Amino acid sequence: MIEKDSGFILRRYNFRETSLIASIYTYKFGKIRGIFKGFYSKKREFSSGLDIFSLNEFIFYPKRSEIWLVSHADLVSDYYFLRENISKAKVAAVIFNFIDKTMQLWDRNTYVFNLVNNCLSLLEEERSLKILYIFLIKFLTLSGFEPEFNHCLDCKSALSNDFLFSASKGGLLCRKCSGKIADAGRISAQASKSLLYIQNTDFPLVSRLNSTLQCEEEILSILKSFVSYHFGFDGLANIDIAQKYAGV
Ligand SMILES: [Zn+2]
């Protein structure tokens, strides 16, 4: 069987003298591993440099073994702006690292593919930190976690300024219900509303969100604890609110 598909290069390493192996997040097959035989001998079939972050069209041969032979690769976009802006590249790296760590091989999810595509496109114009929040919140929603930001998980009372967020429980708790939950920490109604807005708003409208610095600090801290608890992902550790001051 031969297939044509689009995919982002998540990770790559050299193999023997002339070949390359890459983890690719594709539209139709989810994450795959591909081998590009003769990549470094400048084969005409590989017109793309296959850089990390790049989106390409591939022709490959799906099979049962882990690594699939890729026979053609054509560049669709190399997101050149990422090479000129370290903060944006740092956020793109977190997104790709997160996809690589959390998605299983061949676990197809076209919504996640479109999410990565939308986020990379918006990253050129928007502040990188905002795109990171949007990516993570949307990803959690699409992958079934869907943290609750609207009312108390236990008693269902409506959001107020006296709410707490628990990563282990996966959402908001009112003061009364949060008593025995060790990891519950205070969250402002404003931060909850921003998170809810991201959860419920489609692209490109979602990028209109404007949050205060304090609100962004809260969102970042909530997401850090959530992805660390549920995915064992600590790749947000080096992302901090300083990016906001740098205006990126
Ligand atoms: Zn409650």
Side-chain angles (χ1 to χ4, degrees):
M1 191 173 55
I2 181 164
E3 285 282 351
K4 190 175 183 181
D5 201 357
S6 310
F8 293 99
I9 302 287
L10 299 174
R11 207 152 46 87
R12 51 174 274 176
Y13 55 93
N14 296 337
F15 181 71
R16 300 213 173 113
E17 294 285 288
T18 58
S19 300
L20 181 80
I21 291 178
S23 282
I24 309 167
Y25 194 68
T26 67
Y27 183 76
K28 288 195 273 187
F29 293 86
K31 186 169 84 173
I32 67 165
R33 289 215 173 90
I35 181 162
F36 300 79
K37 285 189 177 161
F39 176 73
Y40 288 109
S41 50
K42 303 258 179 267
K43 271 169 83 171
R44 263 183 320 159
E45 290 84 350
F46 303 129
S47 71
S48 167
L50 300 176
D51 293 323
I52 306 281
F53 309 135
S54 67
L55 176 62
N56 304 274
E57 280 268 311
F58 299 106
I59 290 177
F60 51 74
Y61 298 82
K63 51 181 184 174
R64 277 162 189 268
S65 60
E66 197 180 297
I67 298 180
W68 297 356
L69 179 70
V70 186
S71 63
H72 282 75
D74 287 317
L75 183 68
V76 176
S77 175
D78 64 356
Y79 300 98
Y80 192 79
F81 66 92
L82 294 173
R83 269 170 245 175
E84 297 170 332
N85 186 317
I86 289 176
S87 295
K88 287 183 193 284
K90 200 167 150 185
V91 161
V94 171
I95 291 175
F96 277 58
N97 193 5
F98 187 76
I99 292 283
D100 192 37
K101 292 234 164 85
T102 57
M103 302 306 276
Q104 302 298 312
L105 276 184
W106 314 327
D107 185 9
R108 161 199 162 107
N109 190 327
T110 55
Y111 295 108
V112 170
F113 181 92
N114 289 333
L115 174 64
V116 174
N117 205 9
N118 280 322
C119 285
L120 280 193
S121 302
L122 282 177
L123 195 51
E124 185 162 14
E125 302 299 327
E126 297 282 351
R127 283 189 309 105
S128 52
L129 201 55
K130 179 155 91 176
I131 298 306
L132 183 61
Y133 302 154
I134 292 174
F135 168 77
L136 289 168
I137 293 296
K138 292 274 186 209
F139 180 90
L140 296 175
T141 305
L142 293 172
S143 57
F145 279 90
E146 202 155 3
E148 176 58 60
F149 297 117
N150 204 16
H151 49 70
C152 172
L153 283 168
D154 274 1
C155 71
K156 313 291 178 205
S157 64
L159 175 66
S160 81
N161 260 322
D162 198 22
F163 264 48
L164 294 95
F165 181 86
S166 159
S168 63
K169 285 280 183 180
L172 297 178
L173 292 164
C174 70
R175 181 71 59 185
K176 213 169 62 198
C177 299
S178 66
K180 291 183 189 126
I181 312 298
D183 74 337
R186 209 183 153 270
I187 178 172
S188 67
Q190 194 200 10
S192 297
K193 281 178 187 160
S194 294
L195 289 159
L196 200 58
Y197 175 85
I198 296 171
Q199 223 171 29
N200 295 333
T201 313
D202 288 334
F203 287 97
L205 212 58
V206 64
S207 69
R208 290 204 188 157
L209 175 77
N210 270 316
S211 302
T212 62
L213 174 60
Q214 192 197 355
C215 188
E216 293 210 323
E217 274 174 353
E218 279 186 62
I219 293 174
L220 188 63
S221 129
I222 282 165
L223 288 173
K224 275 182 183 173
S225 60
F226 199 93
V227 297
S228 170
Y229 183 87
H230 292 282
F231 296 94
F233 183 78
D234 293 320
L236 296 179
N238 294 327
I239 299 286
D240 55 47
I241 212 75
Q243 303 218 3
K244 167 100 177 179
Y245 294 111
V248 292

